[in-house]
Amino acid sequence: MQKGIFLAIVFFFFQSLIPLFAVQKLSPLAPSPDWSRLDQFQETITRDEFVQLINTLYSPSGSFWRYTIINGNEVTIYSDTEHNELLYRLRLAPDPESQVPLKANWVSNIKTKGEEPIETKPLKGLIICLDPGHIGGKWAKMEERFFQIGSDPPVIEAELNMNVCKRAAKLLEDAGAKVVWTKKDYEPVTELRPANLRKDAIALLFPFENQDNLPYRFSDEIEKKISLTAERLFYRNAEIRARAELVDRLRPDITICVHFNADKWSEHPTREELVPKSKLVVFVNGNYSEEELVFDDQKWDMLYKLLSRTALPELEISEAVAKEMEVVWNFPPETYTNWSAAYKVGKSPYIFARNLLANRIYHSPVVFIEGPYMNSVDSYDRIIAGDYDGNKNINGKSVKSIFVEYAEIITQGVISWATSKQGIVVQE
């Protein structure tokens, strides 16, 4: 009888563990998250702050709460909205006095380090990672980040982003920062290629099919879809994930993702199709949608960003950079009135929360900048003029290189933020 009771207890014990070992729902190419990595954040945040960050930044739609139960000062996170598949339990501090201090994460009000005066080296002690967007080179057309109007020089966004980063690196280093990079050339960081991602592409296109029963070859139409999907997984996903691994090793205090924006254009654009005026935006991490929070890795990513307190420095630096963009370029902000993926946050009209892969999985405060439109009247001729020192006459105006201006905007924004408070954000 006692043996039977013991076996019953063992059975129910292991039954209770099944949800913990359930197969997690993962985004394409995402590794299965290690939930124990969140243990370092136990009782490091109060319930009030946690709820406030969820409601105003990370899940303003309320979607995250569908996967949780808050009981007193404990949040229980589930994989499913029925609350059957347990993922993690997070203990919250009941009040600020009992809050456990953060250990190796981003905190404010740390004095600037270094022997040189802050006036000459305002970024001394700061590690800044530059992330020039896209791959470029022979991959530019695949990435759909290439266009050419007639016999004008081609516009390749990766090259524009790299020009800005090279200029910014020099300015940031002159201001005392240590600059590190996710990439410095036009080759992928990831070792994967589209051919390696065929199975992943098929699984995405046929998610409800038994993969073992699918044919080796499909119709020409489906094969084309598989090829395009594998390419997108390569440059939109595998590449960013490989860069994220670098960011984790480099441990920067800030990561700055540099991009140029664009409006829609035709397959064979003409000057007549250039849009009249650029619009500007800077993204911070947040606004996780219901469709995104289905995936358990995105729940984990969101919680890591929230609990490591990247939100405040991201917002502060983004607003400082946006202010410089407005002063120098005077372009209007994006509005996104009919696009739910972007959510207005902060004081600046230029700042939106968006759940981009880079600003989600780069483990540092991330400032994701979209510069002027590549296909706008106000920027196109300056872009195809290339980079240069000094001023050049373009359309009757003597102007700096647009890449120099962009780099100066980034640098001055970071300096303005760093010198507007007692200290700067650093990692211990």
Side-chain angles (χ1 to χ4, degrees):
M1 182 68 176
Q2 289 181 338
K3 182 178 179 182
I5 293 172
F6 172 76
L7 290 174
I9 291 171
V10 170
F11 173 77
F12 283 112
F13 172 74
F14 281 104
Q15 282 289 98
S16 69
L17 291 181
I18 286 175
L20 292 175
F21 297 99
V23 176
Q24 298 191 66
K25 304 178 189 72
L26 302 177
S27 309
L29 306 188
S32 184
D34 178 1
W35 288 89
S36 68
R37 288 185 64 190
L38 299 184
D39 289 349
Q40 63 184 303
F41 302 115
Q42 295 288 6
E43 298 179 34
T44 61
I45 189 170
T46 64
R47 173 174 171 148
D48 286 348
E49 185 181 0
F50 183 86
V51 170
Q52 188 265 341
L53 284 169
I54 292 290
N55 289 342
T56 62
L57 177 62
Y58 289 103
S59 183
S61 69
S63 299
F64 175 72
W65 299 123
R66 299 188 62 205
Y67 297 92
T68 65
I69 293 175
I70 295 188
N71 184 9
N73 293 312
E74 183 175 80
V75 183
T76 307
I77 298 104
Y78 296 89
S79 177
D80 62 320
T81 56
E82 292 76 25
H83 301 167
N84 293 322
E85 300 173 31
L86 174 66
L87 290 173
Y88 192 69
R89 288 190 174 95
L90 176 71
R91 297 188 307 278
L92 305 173
D95 51 61
E97 289 71 27
S98 57
Q99 198 169 331
V100 176
L102 286 170
K103 294 179 182 178
N105 291 286
W106 296 268
V107 291
S108 298
N109 299 323
I110 294 179
K111 294 284 186 176
T112 317
K113 298 176 182 178
E115 297 178 359
E116 297 184 61
I118 190 171
E119 291 80 9
T120 59
K121 297 291 181 182
L123 303 182
K124 184 75 173 179
L126 196 68
I127 302 173
I128 298 177
C129 180
L130 293 176
D131 180 46
H134 308 293
I135 303 170
K138 67 181 182 181
W139 312 98
K141 290 184 178 180
M142 178 189 291
E143 295 178 288
E144 299 176 329
R145 290 298 185 273
F146 173 107
F147 76 95
Q148 187 171 16
I149 294 178
S151 59
D152 289 349
V155 177
I156 303 171
E157 190 191 341
E159 294 183 5
L160 312 186
N161 301 333
M162 189 68 73
N163 286 344
V164 174
C165 286
K166 287 177 179 177
R167 291 285 191 171
K170 176 68 166 58
L171 296 173
L172 292 166
E173 287 170 346
D174 287 347
K178 177 182 177 182
V179 174
V180 294
W181 297 68
T182 57
K183 70 188 293 282
K184 282 188 170 183
D185 56 26
Y186 301 115
E187 289 298 324
V189 176
T190 179
E191 294 180 357
L192 294 173
R193 296 294 182 267
N196 305 126
L197 298 167
R198 176 179 169 84
K199 287 185 178 180
D200 299 277
I202 292 172
L204 272 179
L205 291 170
F206 301 98
F208 304 112
E209 300 287 341
N210 185 330
Q211 301 297 301
D212 294 332
N213 293 337
L214 292 174
Y216 177 73
R217 294 289 297 179
F218 297 84
S219 68
D220 289 348
E221 182 180 357
I222 293 176
E223 284 293 332
K224 184 177 180 180
K225 289 182 180 179
I226 293 171
S227 178
L228 287 172
T229 303
E231 289 174 357
R232 287 170 183 154
L233 283 173
F234 159 65
Y235 64 79
R236 290 184 183 176
N237 200 308
E239 173 67 9
I240 305 302
R241 294 189 181 279
R243 296 190 194 194
E245 292 178 9
L246 269 178
V247 172
D248 264 2
R249 294 197 295 271
L250 294 168
R251 294 178 61 79
D253 301 303
I254 307 167
T255 299
I256 301 175
C257 300
V258 176
H259 291 254
F260 278 76
N261 213 337
D263 206 344
K264 295 179 180 179
W265 60 78
S266 66
E267 187 176 349
H268 302 289
T270 64
R271 278 187 172 265
E272 288 69 29
E273 292 180 69
L274 294 175
V275 297
K277 198 172 188 65
S278 292
K279 293 182 180 180
L280 300 172
V281 64
V282 183
F283 292 116
V284 298
N285 181 247
N287 194 36
Y288 288 65
S289 71
E290 185 170 353
E291 294 78 14
E292 292 161 343
L293 287 170
V294 165
F295 300 107
D296 297 332
D297 57 291
Q298 298 208 36
K299 297 183 186 79
W300 188 97
D301 292 334
M302 188 201 79
L303 287 167
Y304 188 92
K305 294 290 285 191
L306 184 157
L307 294 169
S308 60
R309 306 304 203 285
T310 60
L312 181 60
E314 281 187 359
L315 190 57
E316 288 181 345
I317 303 165
S318 294
E319 289 188 338
V321 170
K323 184 176 180 180
E324 294 298 322
M325 293 170 77
E326 183 178 15
V327 169
V328 174
W329 285 328
N330 196 31
F331 299 148
E334 297 281 4
T335 53
Y336 301 129
T337 50
N338 297 312
W339 192 42
S340 61
Y343 179 78
K344 181 72 197 70
V345 293
K347 299 174 183 177
S348 169
Y350 294 87
I351 311 300
F352 286 80
R354 188 179 172 194
N355 178 21
L356 295 161
L357 183 59
N359 70 8
R360 183 173 83 241
I361 67 174
Y362 290 2
H363 289 163
S364 75
V366 177
V367 180
F368 196 107
I369 311 170
E370 291 279 4
Y373 289 0
M374 294 175 283
N375 60 336
S376 64
V377 172
D378 50 47
S379 301
Y380 174 74
D381 285 312
R382 297 186 67 189
I383 285 171
I384 65 171
D387 196 10
Y388 52 87
D389 294 320
N391 281 35
K392 182 180 285 190
N393 189 296
I394 298 177
N395 296 329
K397 293 183 179 179
S398 178
V399 291
K400 289 181 181 179
S401 158
I402 196 169
F403 309 105
V404 171
E405 281 186 348
Y406 199 160
E408 289 175 344
I409 285 167
I410 291 170
T411 305
Q412 188 53 54
V414 176
I415 290 174
S416 296
W417 164 77
T419 56
S420 67
K421 53 202 302 180
Q422 289 181 334
I424 57 176
V425 171
V426 300
Q427 272 190 286
E428 294 186 333

